Amino acid sequence: MCDKELWPAGVQRCSLKYFLAWLVVVFAVLGWGVYAFYVVWSSGLHVTGMDNYFAFGLYIIFDLGVIALGAGAFFSGLLYYLVRVEGLKNIINLAVIVGFICYSGALLILALEVGQPLRSWFGFWHPNVHSMLTEVIFCITCYMLVLTIEFVPLILENRKLNKIKLLHHIAHNFHVIMPLFAGVGAFLSFFHQGSLGGMYGVLFSRPFVFREGFFIWPWTFFLFILSAVASGPAFTMLIATLMEKATGRKLVDFSVKALMGKIAGTMLAIYLFFKYLDTWGWITGILPRAGLTFDQMYYQLAYGKWLFYAELGVCGLIPAILLLVPKTRNTPGILYTAAILNCIGIVINRFVMTSQALANPVMPFDRWYVYVPTWAEWAPALAIIAYGALVLSLSYRYLPVFPQERKLNPV
Amino acid sequence: MVLYLKEFKIKWGMVIDLDKCTGCGACMVACQAENNIAPVVDASDKRRSMTWLLVYQLSNQKLYPDHDVAYLPRPCQQCGHPNCVPVCPVIATDKNEEGGIVSQVNARCIGCRYCIAACPYHARYFNWHDPVWPEGMEKTLTPDVSTRPRGVVEKCLFCHHRYMQARDKARVEGRDPNALAEGDYIPACVEVCPTGAIAFGDLMNPNHKVHQLSKSPHAFRLLERLGTDPQVYYLSRREWVRRQGDNILEHETVEGV
Amino acid sequence: MALDRRSFLTFVAGGAVGTLFTPVIWKSIDDTAIWTQNWSWIPRLEHGPKAYAATTCKLCPAGCGLNIRTAGDRPVVAEGRTDHPLSQGGICPLGAAAVQMLYSPARIKGPMKKQADGTHQLVSWEEAEALLLEKLNEAKGQGGNVACISGDENSTMNEVLSGLLAQMDSNRFFLMPGESLTASKAFGSWLKQGVLGYDLENADLVMAFGADLLDSWGTAVRNKKAFGAAHPIGEQATTEYVYVGPMQNTTGAVADKWVSVAPGLEGVLALGIAYHLLQSGMIVPEALDFSSYRSFVLSRYTPEYVSKVTGLSSEQVAELAVKLRRANRPVVVPGSAISQGNGVFSLAAVMSLNFLLHPVNSPGGIFVLPDLPTVVSEAMEPSIIRGNDLVSFVQKITAGKTDRPSVFLVYEANPVHGLPQAEAMSKVFDDTFLASFSTFYDETAARADLILPTPYFLERWDDVQTPHGAGFVSYSVTRPVIKPLFDVKPAGDVVLGVAEKLGLDLGFSSFEKVLEAKTAALAEMDGFLTDKVQPWQVRTGASPAPAAGNQWRNISRGAVWTTAVTPFVPAVLLAARELSQAAPPDVDDWAYPVRLASITSRAHGSRHIAIPPFCLPLLGEEELQGKTFYVRMNSTTARNYGLKANDRVKLVGPGGECVARVRIFEGVGLNVVAAPLGFGHTAWDEFSRGKGDNIYNVLTVRTEPGSDLSVWADSRVRIAKAY
Ligand SMILES: Nc1nc2c(c(=O)[nH]1)N[C@H]1C(S)=C(S)[C@@H](COP(=O)(O)OP(=O)(O)OC[C@H]3O[C@@H](n4cnc5c(=O)[nH]c(N)nc54)[C@H](O)[C@@H]3O)O[C@H]1N2
Ligand SMILES: Nc1nc2c(c(=O)[nH]1)N[C@H]1C(S)=C(S)[C@@H](COP(=O)(O)OP(=O)(O)OC[C@H]3O[C@@H](n4cnc5c(=O)[nH]c(N)nc54)[C@H](O)[C@@H]3O)O[C@H]1N2
Ligand code: SF4
Ligand code: SF4
Ligand code: SF4
Ligand code: SF4
Ligand code: SF4
Ligand SMILES: [Mo]
């Protein structure tokens, strides 16, 4: 038995037996996650570690994380289709797939996260125009459609499918209008990345995350966009590298990775410039106005100051420098390390903005609590990762994801 | 962020005298009974239990024998500038009715809990469990407040049904439902309090006691400097109690006598 | 037209698209809002006309008037009655949870008999009553072979039960131990007509020693109302409240001033204050033993001595004396924070301040409140009942000094759980026939050979006579607001029925008739109904209209009867002899070095009621965590015993021990551990069972010299970290 017929032309893939064995592992993790979905939906959210203090937990942190990391899709699309950065051609397909995985995964988790999933569509039916969350619901859902539209032509390029005339034409025509979708996607993404940050920034009752801003948008709105575009390309690049390690084949040229690194580094530097300004404004303006001090914002290990320094220093300034300096950026090991730090920094940011913001007691007679996620939160998160692995594995095996693959791996 | 703000001619409010509150909790029980909140076997998981009204114990943080205690009942503060309202994606909570009570429409709520994150007073509660009454106890449900399913957020509504009943009564008696007298409308917790620690009325109406009380030099509101503009006031002659009403930097002093 | 596959599909597709243009689909989607609200397992509201039924609370002795709100014929919510002088519109958390307790899973569904394997099986009332009859028949005529413990201090049920005993030649009728016992030992020799009451409403200074006035002591809600009235919201207080006691319990926290004194030393401080009052020339002309009192106090309770024993400075003591002397109408309230187990020394010492400050029966001071007439033939006089010491009786039995009755009748009491040294004390029921008249499956019912379930107080007739700690005489009736939910029977009717079969004549065929007679007997006294004028207002000049009309009609429907008449007291005794004999020794007890300040709070239930489901949310994070409860101590005490917050700690008393977690609370005196009663239930239901430990087990009974009274409010323990 062989599935060679389905492989992209001119490339080598592992044996079907190996591939299926790998899928068994993936499905095991997925199965655990599906079970968690069942438990949460049937018995309620009390199986999670969330409570009335931690209204948001790992689900939201995970979602914010993957949505930021998935930003590689819209930003690469923007640069490739609209700004015409040609080098990105060789990784744009992967960026779209990663984006697709991140967003569809995030939406799945959201269906777990709301207490009344059957009412999730009320956001469209009874929208509150003042709510950043309404903006998020609209933009994420629409952007998910855009990502699907972007993903479809790639699927249709499968060797077998592409032989069908109609599908071939569809794929071709989609490619033609892709700049339009890239534009729409970029617009939607700017808004929902921003609104996600805006969700926190508008919480004037939570001095830990409250920010002033521009018109109705608090600074976090813009900071979330910037931090997403700073980490998204790095993450896409890391996924490509991970796939190379897993398959033992060269998939994209190192110069493309370095380009992604340069984009990420540039954006990270810009982001950090504003983030430092914002932090300074927070410490000297917002906190004292609320009668609070910087020290009061941190607690023990779980919410300690180490997070602050890790986010803005070790996982902020350092990777930014490493990615901006050509010499370090062009050294593969350093490039990857810097990209990883970059991604970690953004995830820390999403963690503190969510969990620490809620843990931080606002009433003087209130106290800190520590949030600990349960298995029912880890399992779906891991399942989404497994789902990503599944989509990537299938895409890699059967779709012409990497245009350079044939050239980089001569038979 | 002031787009949604409405001004009201009537603002129902409480003035809670913290020097009178004994922390007995009768108000908490009355609230549960009045508003059909199901009992739970283990209520010691405080972060998951449902207490629309919660009595906090405050300490002056001094060592024995200089220690002092105060009790602070915390209903929903019915903020004039509520953070919970603008964040709700589906308008399941609003502040749009004369009287200034922040509503909560349980059948609309999708349970996203954004409003919980937004409320600095922990006045909002998520229904983590399906409400279960021990066999037969459901017969003690009042006909006034509908039961809520798992997965929605709820909170104190100033016993809104009593407001409606008071208005209806006024109409039937040919009085102006928009000019209720003090005492026409009294929430359950206020009514039950054995020391009379809570005054209730229209903050805008000079004939109502709360109007004057809210202006007392001993009056304060929780976290006033955040700008939530609560309709619940607290009173205490003890400076340390007033200090705990808000976050205060070391060099700052608290207003009042 | 033939329906081929193609046209079928077209039809289906067309139909599907078509419906999108009708409101059907959108309406049904929108309806999810409704049906996601109304799952079948969530109870729907039942509507019905709103009404109120006035009754009187029986969940604790405080006797509040309740207004039960009904919807249709379902009681739904308990509210306070504004017209009742003991509640004045307020109630406590326990009372607020009263209606829901109707459906407590711990309710006993019908009469039950203990089986050979120790379990209880439902039996018919005929069988249950026959068994009771048989056991009583065996005990009949063998004086004292039947004993009775009543957990209700205020009900006329005590006349029925004590009348039955008397006609069976037994005088072994006991109340669960309370402070009226102590008062009876201290003043019973001269005060036979009634009890002493405290006119809080007219006082301008209230100084409570030990008594947790603002939570559970005496007429709890009425006390809070008096406090509330004296502290008008937003205004300066008109009456100062001072709490002298071991901790910032509710009263200690809320009173205008807290003076920290270890449990058991309140009396020493009081005599230290008396020293100053005597020095300033105050006397008690009507006291026969004044001169011995005076010389005892002046010789022993010198400022230096009192300061040494209590740990307070001489200035602090003197300041309290000044406060009392300056006040126009000061009243001093003696008691223990748990309303039980205090000694004659403590009570008499504190009470003597009242005698020094003003004559008996002066407004804002103390009053003699006459007992109400009894109606059941041969019923024991209230003054006799008050003097019966259950704990000493039990100790005598277990020590073999007196014979064990073969039958115990326990009425609305839970002695198995709620006597000091509970575990040891409950052995008194070994090898006896224990019959429990109880509404709930408490520890005593669980132990009983026969359970004769009483209707819940919202399902029965009952009454409340002047509660302990009151300031005025009162009588009000408890009446049914709902038909009994289960196969229960009023204990009065059961006892009257059995008595008749025993050939005894108590004079009544039903308990309701007893109550009717009781109200009729009130006519002997010059009383009035409190609808317009409150009893304390009479003391300052208001004149009420005398009660008229059909007394039972009025009282059975909620009216409260009272009288302002006070018996003439020609002379008083300060209990100088008892004071000198019972004075606590100066030496410390090194075996049990830590003083135990027990707490009783209505948030935790009452003597015979375990914490109700609706009160559980009142327990804070540092009161109960899962199944473990907390005891409180200040940081210095904790440090001295190597304890930190949240540590597990073992409290060991001479008779028992228990385990808890440590809560650091700076409102507890040095070397004192504060622990709540009312936990550690083993019966009841899942809401209260297995939560915390039973502090009654570590309370230690000692016999007070001079009075021979059993005392445990000043218990001591050893504490150590538990692993
Ligand atoms: N002993 C005695 N018997 C009498 C009389 C008397 O004076 N004394 N008077 C006679 C006369 S004139 C009359 S009119 C009748 C009246 O006799 P009933 O109609 O029996 O009137 P009540 O005894 O006042 O109330 C009956 C029951 O209803 C309950 N109840 C009160 N309010 C409500 C409510 O809103 N909802 C529900 N579900 N229950 C409620 C009360 O607690 C009580 O248990 O009695 C007659 N019988
Ligand atoms: N507080 C309170 N008030 C009530 C009620 C209540 O439950 N509580 N119930 C209401 C109801 S239902 C009713 S029917 C009314 C009843 O109200 P009333 O008619 O006032 O009834 P009673 O209180 O029985 O008073 C009747 C008086 O008649 C006297 N009397 C008795 N027998 C005779 C006789 O043969 N001849 C004469 N001349 N006098 C006699 C009695 O001694 C008593 O003084 O009360 C109403 N008011
Ligand atoms: S009922 Fe009154 S005194 Fe008791 S806790 Fe509530 S507000 Fe305080
Ligand atoms: S107290 Fe909280 S829930 Fe209530 S109005 Fe204010 S923000 Fe909203
Ligand atoms: S939980 Fe309900 S009320 Fe709160 S923001 Fe979400 S939808 Fe609105
Ligand atoms: S006002 Fe009503 S709903 Fe709000 S806390 Fe009081 S009793 Fe509860
Ligand atoms: S204090 Fe006692 S009598 Fe009064 S309401 Fe509470 S339990 Fe009932
Ligand atoms: Mo009547």
Side-chain angles (χ1 to χ4, degrees):
Chain A
M1 197 176 77
C2 189
D3 57 347
K4 204 166 175 175
E5 296 296 287
L6 296 166
W7 298 354
V11 299
Q12 191 56 42
R13 294 289 181 258
C14 69
S15 76
L16 187 59
K17 210 164 68 191
Y18 266 15
F19 187 64
L20 290 178
W22 159 241
L23 287 191
V24 167
V25 176
V26 171
F27 274 106
V29 181
L30 259 180
W32 191 41
V34 170
Y35 173 68
F37 268 73
Y38 165 75
V39 171
V40 170
W41 276 333
S42 63
S43 70
L45 284 164
H46 65 90
V47 294
T48 68
M50 288 188 281
D51 53 45
N52 292 325
Y53 271 71
F54 296 99
F56 300 148
L58 182 63
Y59 291 155
I60 292 289
I61 299 166
F62 181 83
D63 274 8
L64 291 180
V66 297
I67 284 177
L69 298 175
F74 94 84
F75 199 59
S76 317
L78 177 79
L79 294 180
Y80 173 61
Y81 289 108
L82 302 179
V83 186
R84 291 282 161 205
V85 181
E86 277 304 320
L88 294 177
K89 184 179 76 191
N90 299 318
I91 200 164
I92 189 74
N93 287 341
L94 178 65
V96 166
I97 299 175
V98 170
F100 177 85
I101 293 167
C102 289
Y103 278 81
S104 52
L107 280 175
L108 279 171
I109 297 275
L110 276 183
L112 267 191
E113 207 268 345
V114 292
Q116 288 278 349
L118 294 172
R119 301 178 185 173
S120 338
W121 54 276
F122 283 17
F124 298 97
W125 201 237
H126 313 281
N128 173 11
V129 293
H130 304 300
S131 174
M132 287 285 163
L133 187 52
T134 308
E135 220 165 285
V136 171
I137 294 175
F138 270 78
C139 293
I140 292 199
T141 324
C142 296
Y143 184 50
M144 185 62 226
L145 273 174
V146 170
L147 278 170
T148 312
I149 292 170
E150 289 183 342
F151 193 10
V152 163
L154 184 63
I155 297 173
L156 300 185
E157 274 174 24
N158 169 277
R159 191 137 61 110
K160 268 268 154 70
L161 292 179
N162 211 254
K163 286 195 181 124
I164 303 169
K165 228 185 189 142
L166 175 70
L167 297 183
H168 174 83
H169 281 294
I170 292 177
H172 179 75
N173 285 310
F174 263 52
H175 271 305
V176 174
I177 53 166
M178 211 41 84
L180 173 66
F181 283 107
V184 173
F187 174 81
L188 291 170
S189 285
F190 267 113
F191 264 90
H192 76 247
Q193 296 282 3
S195 304
L196 284 171
M199 274 183 66
Y200 295 111
V202 298
L203 298 181
F204 61 84
S205 54
R206 295 262 176 202
F208 187 84
V209 286
F210 173 56
R211 295 296 188 278
E212 260 116 345
F214 169 72
F215 190 42
I216 61 164
W217 296 288
W219 296 136
T220 51
F221 185 94
F222 306 100
L223 291 172
F224 265 52
I225 300 174
L226 283 173
S227 58
V229 298
S231 60
F235 185 69
T236 308
M237 183 266 284
L238 285 173
I239 294 290
T241 310
L242 185 70
M243 289 173 76
E244 288 181 340
K245 297 272 184 264
T247 59
R249 292 165 67 83
K250 296 281 309 157
L251 302 175
V252 287
D253 194 70
F254 184 75
S255 65
V256 177
K257 294 188 190 173
L259 173 61
M260 293 290 269
K262 187 176 171 186
I263 295 171
T266 312
M267 298 316 298
L268 185 59
I270 298 173
Y271 162 64
L272 284 178
F273 172 75
F274 289 110
K275 177 72 181 172
Y276 288 162
L277 271 182
D278 168 81
T279 305
W280 175 74
W282 174 63
I283 296 172
T284 58
I286 289 173
L287 289 183
R289 234 174 301 142
L292 295 164
T293 62
F294 179 68
D295 287 341
Q296 285 173 307
M297 297 295 106
Y298 297 90
Y299 176 72
Q300 293 183 351
L301 182 69
Y303 303 112
K305 280 196 187 138
W306 68 270
L307 285 164
F308 179 80
Y309 297 113
E311 180 198 338
L312 298 183
V314 182
C315 302
L317 193 59
I318 291 178
I321 293 169
L322 294 179
L323 291 172
L324 281 179
V325 176
K327 192 162 156 228
T328 45
R329 179 173 72 230
N330 289 324
T331 314
I334 299 181
L335 174 70
Y336 302 149
T337 310
I340 291 172
L341 287 177
N342 176 351
C343 293
I344 293 176
I346 296 322
V347 171
I348 293 178
N349 173 265
R350 301 310 193 250
F351 166 78
V352 295
M353 293 296 281
T354 307
S355 199
Q356 189 154 359
L358 299 175
N360 188 288
V362 186
M363 289 189 291
F365 45 86
D366 210 346
R367 51 163 288 204
W368 284 86
Y369 288 98
V370 175
Y371 162 72
V372 185
T374 65
W375 75 272
E377 291 161 283
W378 288 115
L382 288 177
I384 295 305
I385 293 171
Y387 153 79
L390 176 68
V391 173
L392 280 173
S393 305
L394 291 171
S395 304
Y396 166 73
R397 194 170 176 88
Y398 300 119
L399 306 178
V401 177
F402 297 102
Q404 292 176 303
E405 186 182 356
R406 243 188 307 176
K407 190 183 85 199
L408 292 173
N409 302 278
V411 195
Chain B
M1 295 301 297
V2 287
L3 297 169
Y4 57 88
L5 278 189
K6 286 200 180 76
E7 269 311 316
F8 301 107
K9 289 202 276 299
I10 304 170
K11 280 191 193 173
W12 295 108
M14 285 182 186
V15 180
I16 307 180
D17 189 339
L18 302 186
D19 299 339
K20 287 184 83 172
C21 173
T22 66
C24 70
C27 49
M28 288 177 66
V29 177
C31 179
Q32 291 174 81
E34 178 80 15
N35 294 292
N36 295 335
I37 296 172
V40 288
V41 171
D42 182 7
S44 76
D45 182 357
K46 290 295 147 195
R47 289 187 276 155
R48 287 265 178 79
S49 48
M50 176 85 70
T51 44
W52 289 11
L53 178 57
L54 181 63
V55 180
Y56 283 83
Q57 194 186 71
L58 273 50
S59 157
N60 68 349
Q61 308 289 352
K62 294 204 176 143
L63 293 185
Y64 174 84
D66 301 316
H67 188 250
D68 195 9
V69 171
Y71 298 95
L72 184 140
R74 193 257 27 232
C76 167
Q77 310 287 299
Q78 314 298 351
C79 304
H81 186 195
N83 205 170
C84 59
V85 165
V87 302
C88 175
V90 297
I91 327 183
T93 177
D94 206 349
K95 188 181 178 91
N96 60 352
E97 187 194 64
E98 198 51 72
I101 298 172
V102 175
S103 68
Q104 179 69 22
V105 185
N106 304 110
R108 170 75 68 81
C109 172
I110 63 174
C112 69
R113 301 183 300 288
Y114 189 10
C115 52
I116 295 188
C119 172
Y121 306 104
H122 297 296
R124 291 181 160 268
Y125 292 85
F126 185 67
N127 241 342
W128 298 97
H129 302 270
D130 270 313
V132 180
W133 282 264
E135 196 191 331
M137 207 181 277
E138 74 283 352
K139 295 201 179 68
T140 64
L141 291 174
T142 67
D144 307 316
V145 183
S146 56
T147 48
R148 288 80 55 188
R150 182 180 89 204
V152 301
V153 163
E154 36 187 275
K155 71 165 192 78
C156 152
L157 299 167
F158 266 10
C159 293
H160 186 266
H161 56 286
R162 289 189 174 213
Y163 182 29
M164 292 295 111
Q165 286 161 3
R167 288 169 60 90
D168 287 347
K169 188 159 177 258
R171 275 192 206 97
V172 167
E173 291 168 4
R175 288 180 291 129
D176 179 2
N178 291 321
L180 294 179
E182 191 162 23
D184 281 351
Y185 159 39
I186 294 288
C189 55
V190 177
E191 189 171 40
V192 81
C193 175
T195 56
I198 314 179
F200 186 83
D202 177 5
L203 293 164
M204 308 291 275
N205 185 339
N207 297 324
H208 287 201
K209 211 168 156 191
V210 290
H211 177 82
Q212 278 314 317
L213 288 174
S214 67
K215 300 187 156 90
S216 152
H218 306 293
F220 65 97
R221 294 180 290 174
L222 293 181
L223 302 175
E224 229 170 310
R225 59 199 300 168
L226 294 184
T228 46
D229 189 23
Q231 278 169 220
V232 173
Y233 288 76
Y234 294 92
L235 282 180
S236 179
R237 285 168 190 273
R238 291 173 281 183
E239 183 185 314
W240 74 262
V241 175
R242 294 201 299 274
R243 273 188 89 86
Q244 294 210 5
D246 213 331
N247 292 300
I248 293 178
L249 295 172
E250 242 163 63
H251 64 272
E252 293 175 329
T253 51
V254 54
E255 284 167 68
V257 185
Chain C
M1 194 185 80
L3 184 74
D4 61 11
R5 186 167 154 269
R6 193 188 173 86
S7 55
F8 176 73
L9 288 177
T10 314
F11 176 75
V12 170
V17 172
T19 26
L20 291 181
F21 292 95
T22 70
V24 174
I25 182 126
W26 305 111
K27 173 74 180 116
S28 40
I29 290 179
D30 201 37
D31 277 354
T32 44
I34 297 161
W35 58 259
T36 48
Q37 181 81 1
N38 293 332
W39 299 104
S40 58
W41 56 86
I42 296 174
R44 219 53 38 86
L45 299 184
E46 276 177 55
H47 293 267
K50 174 174 168 176
Y52 285 92
T55 186
T56 309
C57 183
K58 295 283 341 179
L59 294 178
C60 95
C64 299
L66 296 186
N67 228 358
I68 305 297
R69 192 156 100 217
T70 53
D73 39 16
R74 299 175 298 120
V76 292
V77 167
E79 295 178 9
R81 263 170 60 192
T82 46
D83 61 335
H84 197 295
L86 294 177
S87 53
Q88 301 161 53
I91 36 173
C92 80
L94 180 58
V99 168
Q100 287 69 24
M101 287 287 278
L102 265 169
Y103 299 93
S104 158
R107 286 269 332 242
I108 303 166
K109 313 282 187 293
M112 292 178 129
K113 210 173 107 178
K114 189 169 224 158
Q115 308 297 304
D117 63 357
T119 60
H120 282 118
Q121 290 298 321
L122 285 172
V123 294
S124 69
W125 272 105
E126 289 73 45
E127 191 181 340
E129 283 169 322
L131 182 59
L132 179 65
L133 182 65
E134 177 197 323
K135 293 293 171 184
L136 287 178
N137 231 334
E138 285 166 20
K140 193 176 152 193
Q142 312 169 29
N145 216 353
V146 53
C148 180
I149 302 171
S150 166
D152 187 342
E153 300 167 19
N154 309 325
S155 171
T156 301
M157 247 324 271
N158 292 342
E159 290 185 31
V160 176
L161 290 165
S162 66
L164 172 80
L165 257 59
Q167 297 202 9
M168 291 176 70
D169 295 330
S170 166
N171 59 0
R172 293 171 154 190
F173 179 82
F174 300 93
L175 298 179
M176 283 295 277
E179 293 184 329
S180 23
L181 169 64
T182 316
S184 150
K185 295 282 178 203
F187 307 119
S189 57
W190 59 271
L191 185 59
K192 296 227 189 298
Q193 316 93 309
V195 294
L196 290 173
Y198 310 88
D199 190 16
L200 305 178
E201 287 84 355
N202 290 316
D204 65 352
L205 170 65
V206 175
M207 196 177 282
F209 282 69
D212 195 358
L213 215 58
L214 298 180
D215 188 330
S216 57
W217 186 89
T219 46
V221 172
R222 169 231 166 203
N223 305 344
K224 296 184 208 195
K225 280 288 167 186
F227 170 84
H231 292 75
I233 191 163
E235 288 168 42
Q236 199 65 251
T238 55
T239 298
E240 187 181 3
Y241 276 64
V242 178
Y243 183 61
V244 178
M247 69 174 298
Q248 279 169 337
N249 50 20
T250 304
T251 311
V254 181
D256 304 282
K257 186 178 172 63
W258 169 49
V259 180
S260 165
V261 168
L265 295 181
E266 300 93 346
V268 175
L269 175 59
L271 294 184
I273 296 171
Y275 177 95
H276 290 283
L277 298 183
L278 289 167
Q279 287 281 357
S280 72
M282 287 185 161
I283 53 166
V284 189
E286 68 272 37
L288 301 173
D289 54 353
F290 177 69
S291 62
S292 47
Y293 167 83
R294 185 171 188 279
S295 55
F296 172 65
V297 172
L298 290 181
S299 64
R300 179 146 182 199
Y301 291 89
T302 58
E304 303 73 45
Y305 174 77
V306 171
S307 177
K308 193 187 103 214
V309 175
T310 60
L312 296 172
S313 70
S314 308
E315 292 73 37
Q316 282 174 296
V317 181
E319 192 193 315
L320 290 172
V322 169
K323 253 188 206 305
L324 284 171
R325 229 176 31 205
R326 292 234 173 103
N328 290 320
R329 297 181 310 278
V331 64
V332 181
V333 184
S336 90
I338 51 174
S339 309
Q340 56 177 292
N342 59 340
V344 165
F345 175 78
S346 167
L347 179 84
V350 177
M351 190 65 92
S352 71
L353 296 175
N354 280 319
F355 294 123
L356 278 169
L357 290 163
H358 37 53
V360 173
N361 296 343
S362 19
I366 53 169
F367 276 82
V368 176
L369 310 178
D371 290 321
L372 304 184
T374 56
V375 293
V376 175
S377 54
E378 293 186 47
M380 247 183 219
E381 283 304 317
S383 58
I384 307 284
I385 293 180
R386 284 194 289 271
N388 282 355
D389 183 346
L390 172 61
V391 170
S392 302
F393 172 63
V394 170
Q395 281 184 320
K396 276 193 205 116
I397 294 176
T398 35
K401 289 187 188 145
T402 186
D403 58 316
R404 188 184 302 255
S406 63
V407 177
F408 263 106
L409 305 179
V410 176
Y411 171 71
E412 298 264 308
N414 191 7
V416 172
H417 180 270
L419 284 179
Q421 290 174 304
E423 243 165 56
M425 290 274 170
S426 62
K427 293 210 166 64
V428 75
F429 301 118
D430 292 349
D431 308 319
T432 64
F433 180 79
L434 175 60
S436 163
F437 293 90
S438 174
T439 307
F440 299 101
Y441 197 69
D442 58 21
E443 286 72 17
T444 305
R447 174 89 178 249
D449 300 285
L450 180 63
I451 305 177
L452 301 147
T454 52
Y456 185 53
F457 83 93
L458 295 177
E459 303 165 332
R460 71 172 190 237
W461 288 101
D462 207 335
D463 63 349
V464 176
Q465 312 177 45
T466 323
H468 172 71
F472 42 83
V473 174
S474 70
Y475 183 81
S476 69
V477 157
T478 297
R479 65 172 186 173
V481 297
I482 184 173
K483 283 206 196 73
L485 298 169
F486 304 107
D487 186 15
V488 294
K489 201 164 165 179
D493 294 351
V494 174
V495 172
L496 290 171
V498 169
E500 196 190 319
K501 293 198 183 107
L502 285 167
L504 310 174
D505 185 12
L506 295 175
F508 295 94
S509 59
S510 81
F511 188 56
E512 203 181 324
K513 292 268 181 269
V514 177
L515 297 181
E516 229 177 301
K518 185 88 180 181
T519 51
L522 296 177
E524 292 171 18
M525 300 172 82
D526 191 6
F528 63 96
L529 302 180
T530 63
D531 48 356
K532 298 216 173 53
V533 176
Q534 295 299 350
W536 58 86
Q537 294 170 324
V538 176
R539 305 219 166 106
T540 50
S543 45
N550 183 329
Q551 191 103 297
W552 170 246
R553 176 196 295 281
N554 292 325
I555 295 174
S556 69
R557 292 172 188 191
V560 182
W561 180 92
T562 183
T563 177
V565 174
T566 43
F568 174 63
V569 181
V572 306
L573 281 173
L574 295 170
R577 186 185 58 83
E578 289 84 352
L579 278 176
S580 60
Q581 291 175 351
D586 303 342
V587 287
D588 240 341
D589 178 351
W590 295 109
Y592 298 97
V594 179
R595 292 177 184 268
L596 176 64
S598 319
I599 305 166
T600 172
S601 170
R602 280 298 156 266
H604 307 158
S606 68
R607 286 293 277 287
H608 70 293
I609 302 288
I611 187 164
F614 271 44
C615 286
L616 282 176
L618 274 51
L619 298 175
E621 220 168 18
E622 286 185 309
E623 287 178 273
L624 186 74
Q625 264 307 317
K627 300 254 170 194
T628 317
F629 77 151
Y630 282 73
V631 294
R632 308 180 206 178
M633 61 191 80
N634 70 35
S635 52
T636 313
T637 310
R639 203 166 39 245
N640 290 344
Y641 290 92
L643 295 163
K644 290 188 311 298
N646 261 316
D647 276 354
R648 283 164 60 83
V649 60
K650 188 189 258 183
L651 274 59
V652 183
E657 57 183 51
C658 74
V659 173
R661 278 188 197 281
V662 174
R663 168 181 175 189
I664 303 295
F665 180 69
E666 298 295 339
V668 183
L670 282 176
N671 214 30
V672 175
V673 56
L677 297 178
F679 289 85
H681 283 285
T682 53
W684 289 88
D685 54 31
E686 67 267 27
F687 289 96
S688 49
R689 193 191 307 128
K691 294 185 175 177
D693 229 338
N694 189 359
I695 291 292
Y696 277 107
N697 285 334
V698 293
L699 291 176
T700 313
V701 180
R702 68 179 173 92
T703 302
E704 187 181 47
S707 67
D708 271 346
L709 177 69
S710 30
V711 171
W712 57 91
D714 53 0
S715 290
R716 288 163 159 268
V717 288
R718 217 164 47 219
I719 60 173
K721 197 162 168 157
Y723 296 93

